[in-house]
Amino acid sequence: MDHNEKGTLLEALGIEIISIEKGEVVATMPVDERTRQPFGFLHGGASVALAETVASYGSVALINLETHTCFGLEINANHIKAKKEGMVTARAKTIHTGRTTMVWEVKIVDEQEQLLCISRCTVAVVEKK
């Protein structure tokens, strides 16, 4: 799969895809001036962007890109713990892999594997016309 992140949100936030396996994706994101909110903590929106990114990459890996594409349909996130600096890691696992939708659970952890955010993302699988 082509990882053309140049000029995308991934590049802007420093998101790096570490691995893509069938039904599982791992990515990292720095907690720095690009991803912090004005009070110095990791921005919840950056965590949500990371979660949707890994769910989307995982979905793309499970479809035929010649005939289908996919889009984020719904996402939620519970922010459990704050973080000021360092690196976070997102691990996405598929919960449901259907013909028209996929549901992913995404856990975002710190360097000590402490849970910072848990998210569920539903991805729509759409036939190309």
Side-chain angles (χ1 to χ4, degrees), residues 96-115:
H96 165 75
T97 305
R99 191 175 49 79
T100 59
T101 61
M102 294 187 202
V103 180
W104 292 81
E105 178 183 70
V106 182
K107 292 181 179 177
I108 300 174
V109 299
D110 66 11
E111 297 90 342
Q112 287 75 45
E113 296 295 317
Q114 294 182 80
L115 185 65

Side-chain angles (χ1 to χ4, degrees), residues 33-101:
E33 67 282 351
R34 299 170 289 179
T35 59
R36 283 193 287 257
Q37 38 93 310
F39 303 105
F41 295 97
L42 175 62
H43 194 294
S47 294
V48 172
L50 176 60
E52 186 160 333
T53 296
V54 289
S56 296
Y57 267 89
S59 297
V60 165
L62 295 173
I63 64 172
N64 179 346
L65 286 174
E66 291 183 19
T67 60
H68 291 77
T69 190
C70 57
F71 299 96
L73 185 63
E74 188 275 339
I75 190 165
N76 68 41
N78 292 97
H79 305 290
I80 310 296
K81 188 173 181 196
K83 184 162 177 65
K84 283 195 159 202
E85 59 187 13
M87 187 72 67
V88 296
T89 300
R91 291 187 183 89
K93 293 188 180 198
T94 184
I95 297 171
H96 165 75
T97 305
R99 191 175 49 79
T100 59
T101 61

Side-chain angles (χ1 to χ4, degrees), residues 9 19 32 61 77-78 91 118:
L9 184 66
S19 66
D32 62 17
N78 292 97
R91 291 187 183 89
I118 187 162

